[in-house]
Amino acid sequence: MSLFREATAQVHAKQVPLLGEHTKVLWVGDSVIERLGWFAQLPIPPHVGMLAKGGDRMCHLLWRLENTPVLPSVRKVILHIGINDISNLSARRTAEQNCAFVESTLMPTFGLVLERLRVVAPAAAVVFVPLCGFKDASLHARAVALFNERAHRFPGLAVDDAFWTVHRVFESGAAIATDASGGGLKAWERKPAPGSFLEKHAPSLAAAAAAA
């Protein structure tokens, strides 16, 4: 088992026991989902279950879903996955090669994730949060746009562009305040700056994502 898979397994072992009949909403994916509640400075409601870990790729999420019990009580899944698969593509690849990889590999894997989600949460509507995070000039930007466009084609999958605004957290340095101690905290460990985009919008985004 790789070190990353081992770390994923350790997080999974802590998250799964917290799921149960009380779980009505399931947050699934990577750091965008994992940190949504934290960004909002709100406790995650007890009816919301978490299956998310920063840095996870789709293969890691598939493993997690294959090792998650069926949750018939879940009515909604909020999903964000795929950005780490794209960001880890070699910079030596062309934009065309990246897009070809999305078509040939990532979208079929995304389909497997959706299939497994419907096994784990058979009564749930699945809402996909579109990917973001690359500048338009990036070699990866076209791959992200293609991934989002192809995601719209999966039957029964809702793609909610309203949640896209959560990505402003990663793109706007003004969204995060420096910690008072000056201790060099990472961005997601800092508190929202008063009056910032993050302070204004993260609570409503988290509340929308948690709504059963």
mmCIF file with all atom_site columns, all heavy atoms in Angstrom, residues 4 11 119:
data_model
loop_
_atom_site.group_PDB
_atom_site.id
_atom_site.type_symbol
_atom_site.label_atom_id
_atom_site.label_alt_id
_atom_site.label_comp_id
_atom_site.label_asym_id
_atom_site.label_entity_id
_atom_site.label_seq_id
_atom_site.pdbx_PDB_ins_code
_atom_site.Cartn_x
_atom_site.Cartn_y
_atom_site.Cartn_z
_atom_site.occupancy
_atom_site.B_iso_or_equiv
_atom_site.pdbx_formal_charge
_atom_site.auth_seq_id
_atom_site.auth_comp_id
_atom_site.auth_asym_id
_atom_site.auth_atom_id
_atom_site.pdbx_PDB_model_num
ATOM 1  N N   . PHE A 1 4   ? 0.349   7.352  0.368  1.00 0.00 ? 4   PHE A N   1
ATOM 2  C CA  . PHE A 1 4   ? -0.871  8.156  0.222  1.00 0.00 ? 4   PHE A CA  1
ATOM 3  C C   . PHE A 1 4   ? -2.100  7.298  0.448  1.00 0.00 ? 4   PHE A C   1
ATOM 4  O O   . PHE A 1 4   ? -3.046  7.716  1.118  1.00 0.00 ? 4   PHE A O   1
ATOM 5  C CB  . PHE A 1 4   ? -0.925  8.795  -1.165 1.00 0.00 ? 4   PHE A CB  1
ATOM 6  C CG  . PHE A 1 4   ? -1.921  9.917  -1.238 1.00 0.00 ? 4   PHE A CG  1
ATOM 7  C CD1 . PHE A 1 4   ? -1.538  11.220 -0.977 1.00 0.00 ? 4   PHE A CD1 1
ATOM 8  C CD2 . PHE A 1 4   ? -3.246  9.672  -1.527 1.00 0.00 ? 4   PHE A CD2 1
ATOM 9  C CE1 . PHE A 1 4   ? -2.455  12.260 -1.015 1.00 0.00 ? 4   PHE A CE1 1
ATOM 10 C CE2 . PHE A 1 4   ? -4.171  10.706 -1.577 1.00 0.00 ? 4   PHE A CE2 1
ATOM 11 C CZ  . PHE A 1 4   ? -3.768  11.997 -1.316 1.00 0.00 ? 4   PHE A CZ  1
ATOM 12 N N   . VAL A 1 11  ? -7.738  7.957  7.313  1.00 0.00 ? 11  VAL A N   1
ATOM 13 C CA  . VAL A 1 11  ? -8.832  8.929  7.402  1.00 0.00 ? 11  VAL A CA  1
ATOM 14 C C   . VAL A 1 11  ? -10.172 8.214  7.251  1.00 0.00 ? 11  VAL A C   1
ATOM 15 O O   . VAL A 1 11  ? -11.133 8.488  7.975  1.00 0.00 ? 11  VAL A O   1
ATOM 16 C CB  . VAL A 1 11  ? -8.668  10.025 6.332  1.00 0.00 ? 11  VAL A CB  1
ATOM 17 C CG1 . VAL A 1 11  ? -9.915  10.892 6.258  1.00 0.00 ? 11  VAL A CG1 1
ATOM 18 C CG2 . VAL A 1 11  ? -7.449  10.877 6.633  1.00 0.00 ? 11  VAL A CG2 1
ATOM 19 N N   . VAL A 1 119 ? -24.573 2.715  -5.361 1.00 0.00 ? 119 VAL A N   1
ATOM 20 C CA  . VAL A 1 119 ? -24.656 1.510  -4.527 1.00 0.00 ? 119 VAL A CA  1
ATOM 21 C C   . VAL A 1 119 ? -24.639 1.906  -3.053 1.00 0.00 ? 119 VAL A C   1
ATOM 22 O O   . VAL A 1 119 ? -25.432 1.414  -2.248 1.00 0.00 ? 119 VAL A O   1
ATOM 23 C CB  . VAL A 1 119 ? -23.493 0.548  -4.837 1.00 0.00 ? 119 VAL A CB  1
ATOM 24 C CG1 . VAL A 1 119 ? -23.464 -0.609 -3.835 1.00 0.00 ? 119 VAL A CG1 1
ATOM 25 C CG2 . VAL A 1 119 ? -23.613 0.008  -6.257 1.00 0.00 ? 119 VAL A CG2 1
#
